């Protein structure tokens, strides 16, 4: 069972803030969990690496899971 999901989006462009609600809604739908269980934050590549050169976007994700015993 998914307890919560935390996403960090690394991108120079575009600005993620205007899209956060839409991303959160789509993630909630894909994972079949409520929106409040998803946290999204964004940062830039500080002009370093492929993210900083605007060649791509990277995402770091974390999910906290709870063991569900299907045998009971």
């Amino acid at each position: 069972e998914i307890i919560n999901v935390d996403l960090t989006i690394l991108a120079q462009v575009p600005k993620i803030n205007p899209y956060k609600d839409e991303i959160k809604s789509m993630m909630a739908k894909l994972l079949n969990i409520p929106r409040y269980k998803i946290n999204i934050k964004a940062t830039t590549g500080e002009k370093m690496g492929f993210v900083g050169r605007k060649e791509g976007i990277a995402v770091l994700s974390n999910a906290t899971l709870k063991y569900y015993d299907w045998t009971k």
Side-chain angles (χ1 to χ4, degrees), residues 48-62:
M48 292 176 28
F50 73 95
V51 173
R53 291 189 303 267
K54 303 177 187 176
E55 295 174 354
I57 294 173
V59 176
L60 304 171
S61 61
N62 248 331

Side-chain angles (χ1 to χ4, degrees), residues 36-66:
Y36 72 86
K37 290 188 173 189
I38 300 172
N39 180 50
I40 299 174
K41 53 193 176 290
T43 187
T44 63
E46 298 297 329
K47 303 196 188 279
M48 292 176 28
F50 73 95
V51 173
R53 291 189 303 267
K54 303 177 187 176
E55 295 174 354
I57 294 173
V59 176
L60 304 171
S61 61
N62 248 331
T64 304
L65 306 175
K66 175 182 171 186

Side-chain angles (χ1 to χ4, degrees), residues 3-58:
I3 301 300
N4 65 5
V5 175
D6 183 67
L7 300 172
T8 303
I9 302 171
L10 292 95
Q12 287 298 125
V13 290
K15 297 290 184 194
I16 301 301
N17 205 34
Y19 305 102
K20 281 171 70 170
D21 285 334
E22 187 177 348
I23 294 169
K24 191 180 279 194
S25 293
M26 294 303 289
M27 291 295 296
K29 186 176 178 181
L30 284 169
L31 298 173
N32 197 28
I33 60 175
R35 283 175 39 102
Y36 72 86
K37 290 188 173 189
I38 300 172
N39 180 50
I40 299 174
K41 53 193 176 290
T43 187
T44 63
E46 298 297 329
K47 303 196 188 279
M48 292 176 28
F50 73 95
V51 173
R53 291 189 303 267
K54 303 177 187 176
E55 295 174 354
I57 294 173

